[in-house]
Amino acid sequence: MLMAGKRLAVFSIREGKGGSIWVRAGSAFVNKDGSLNVLLDVLPLDGKLHVREAAEKRDMPGVGGRYAPELGLDAAPVGGHS
């Protein structure tokens, strides 16, 4: 449920040959009137953003593709070319 003061995570999700690539694009915060303030660190290449409740790595089993710096992983491809 979105309540005032709640912190949200903003992602740009791209489909790659090896699966989805989740890139943390910024954060969002819920205002008292239910609207959102979105603070972006990067802009998505395809113009699409995904917003979800911010959570710990263990609470987000479906999140994390080849890149997942928002989850504490290094920004390096997994199973990519050397």
Side-chain angles (χ1 to χ4, degrees):
M1 181 175 196
L2 297 180
M3 297 166 49
K6 186 164 207 85
R7 183 173 161 252
L8 305 168
V10 180
F11 298 92
S12 174
I13 305 170
R14 301 287 312 261
E15 293 300 323
K17 292 180 181 179
S20 297
I21 301 168
W22 288 64
V23 177
R24 180 77 180 251
S27 298
F29 301 89
V30 181
N31 296 313
K32 290 179 183 178
D33 65 358
S35 64
L36 297 173
N37 284 348
V38 180
L39 307 172
L40 297 177
D41 298 317
V42 298
L43 296 175
L45 295 175
D46 61 3
K48 297 178 185 177
L49 293 171
H50 176 83
V51 180
R52 64 170 48 224
E53 290 186 24
E56 297 294 323
K57 178 180 176 181
R58 64 183 174 274
D59 297 334
M60 300 171 65
V63 175
R66 292 190 300 167
Y67 296 91
E70 71 283 353
L71 301 177
L73 301 175
D74 293 330
V78 174
H81 295 86
S82 344

